[in-house]
Structures are given as structure tokens and as C-alpha cells.
Amino acid sequence: MTSDVSKRRYQEIAELLARRITEEGYKPGDKFPTERQISLEMGISRSLVREAYIVLEIEGYLDVRKGSGSYVAAGEKISLNVPKADFGPFELLQARQLLESSIAGFAATTITKNDILKLRETLELERKAIELGEEDYLADRQFHLQIAEATQNSVLVAQVEDLWTKREESSMWARLHDRIFDLSYREKWLDDHAAILEALRHRNSETARQAMWHHLENVRQTLLELSDVGDPEFDGYLYTPAVASP
């Protein structure tokens, strides 16, 4: 298969796996290899395989069953039609980790008392939403945007807004969250936010940068673990970030 620069890597993997379903004579209901097996066989990260499986699920090639695995779905497909505008959830998280950790570090040098007060209010809104069992992420989004706003750089604010918009419009992100039933992870993320705010309050640039990095790393690990369907013993460290945190 020739590589198309307009295609993302996970789309290419999805096409290879779709061809495999057809060429190897899989029938509806047949068990498909686990994400771990494909990851080891192809020498690629588990998160990349997860994104390819989500594409195959959306396009009707696979039926993903929580706690059981992935099965070939009924019907015959010819080609994948994933919108080019869609982004893989782990691709988005990697971009956010690289960008927002730097933004948090910079914000620690420019943040004002009013910024701190607004972040505290947002943290309290997030806490109340969790206590009430609300599943919206408005306060989460607001917290991250307010940190960007604290830099007083409108370009950085626009970039963070754009990444969140891509997340909200991503059918792949929505499908990933459909697999997650345990929402207790949100309390852990709230603690992460509190640690970021504390670093910002002390105007400690390096601590703020690392706190944001570790928060988004926790998000990535949580999504890998809670959305896993066929291999509950999977070690999330098979996938490593592009840049290691010092």
C-alpha cells in the first residue's frame, strides 16, 4: 500500500487490518487478534492500534465487546471512509501534552492574582460536577483555557481552544469514551488540577510544567486502561510519550 501523506498513521493501520479481514477469510463473529497481539506483530505502539481498532469499529468492520475482545462484524466492507478532519484521541493527547505543559510553565511567570482566583472558582465547579455525577467536562475545559489565558498570549489561547474543539468534534474520541464505564478517574484528574494550580500560585515555572505534563500523562494512561476490551492485564507503558518528562 502506498503511503498517503494526507492519511494519519492509525488510518493506514486500519486499512491494513481491514484488508486482512477480507484476505484472510474472516467470517462474521470470528474473534479478531487482540490489540496487544497486533502491537507486537507490527512493532507499533498499543495506542496506535487502539485508534485503528476504533476506526474499524466506527466503519463496521469490528464489533468491540467490553471484557471480551474484538469480533468481525456482519457485512462486507470495501473501503474506509474516516473523515480526514478526525483525529485519534492519543494523537490529540500527545499534542496537548507537548503544548500545554510548556504553556503552564510560561503561565507561572505571567499569572496574576485574578487569574488564580478564577482558577480556584473553576476547580470548585469541577469538584461539584464530580460530586453530582455530572458527565460534562465544561469546567475541565475552562481550567485548561484559563491557564492559557494567564499567559496573555492570544495565539496560545487559540491553539488550546482548537485542540479542545478537535476533541469535542472527534467521533473517535466519543467512541473511546463509550467504552469507559468507571468515572472515578475524574477525582484523580481533579487532584492533578489542584497540583497545577498550586505550582502556578507559587509561580514555580518548572513545577507547573511538570505538573501539567504528568496530568496529561495520567489522562492518557487512564484512557488506555479503562477503555481496554480484550486484555485487562495490558501494561500501559508499552506506549511512551514522544518526549520524556525530566
Side-chain angles (χ1 to χ4, degrees), residues 14-38:
E15 288 185 354
L16 286 172
L17 295 176
R19 185 173 300 172
R20 177 172 179 168
I21 290 172
T22 301
E23 294 178 352
E24 295 187 10
Y26 280 92
K27 297 180 176 59
D30 285 352
K31 184 78 176 286
F32 200 64
T34 67
E35 292 174 2
R36 172 189 279 275
Q37 289 172 320
I38 295 297

Side-chain angles (χ1 to χ4, degrees), residues 6-15 80 82-84:
S6 69
K7 286 196 181 88
R8 295 181 175 82
R9 180 62 174 152
Y10 68 82
Q11 291 175 309
E12 294 181 344
I13 299 302
E15 288 185 354
L80 295 174
V82 180
K84 292 291 190 297

Side-chain angles (χ1 to χ4, degrees), residues 96-192:
R96 286 187 59 199
Q97 191 175 43
L98 291 166
L99 177 65
E100 291 192 50
S101 60
S102 295
I103 287 175
F106 179 46
T109 69
T110 59
I111 200 162
T112 66
K113 181 178 179 180
N114 188 50
D115 291 326
I116 294 294
L117 292 175
K118 288 193 297 184
L119 284 165
R120 281 178 174 169
E121 291 174 359
T122 300
L123 208 61
E124 188 58 31
L125 288 175
E126 188 177 3
R127 191 185 314 277
K128 288 180 179 178
I130 292 172
E131 290 175 353
L132 294 172
E134 298 174 354
E135 294 188 23
D136 69 73
Y137 291 83
L138 294 178
D140 185 5
R141 183 181 193 275
Q142 184 172 310
F143 182 83
H144 286 267
L145 281 173
Q146 285 174 336
I147 292 174
E149 289 167 356
T151 67
Q152 302 173 39
N153 185 310
S154 61
V155 176
L156 294 177
V157 175
Q159 288 183 322
V160 173
E161 285 182 326
D162 182 59
L163 287 171
W164 273 87
T165 298
K166 283 180 169 60
R167 163 184 157 160
E168 291 162 356
E169 295 177 349
S170 170
S171 59
M172 291 183 64
W173 188 281
R175 185 58 62 98
L176 180 69
H177 270 268
D178 285 344
R179 299 183 182 183
I180 298 175
F181 302 98
D182 178 4
L183 299 180
S184 61
Y185 65 87
R186 294 185 65 188
E187 294 182 5
K188 181 179 180 181
W189 294 0
L190 181 65
D191 290 341
D192 287 350

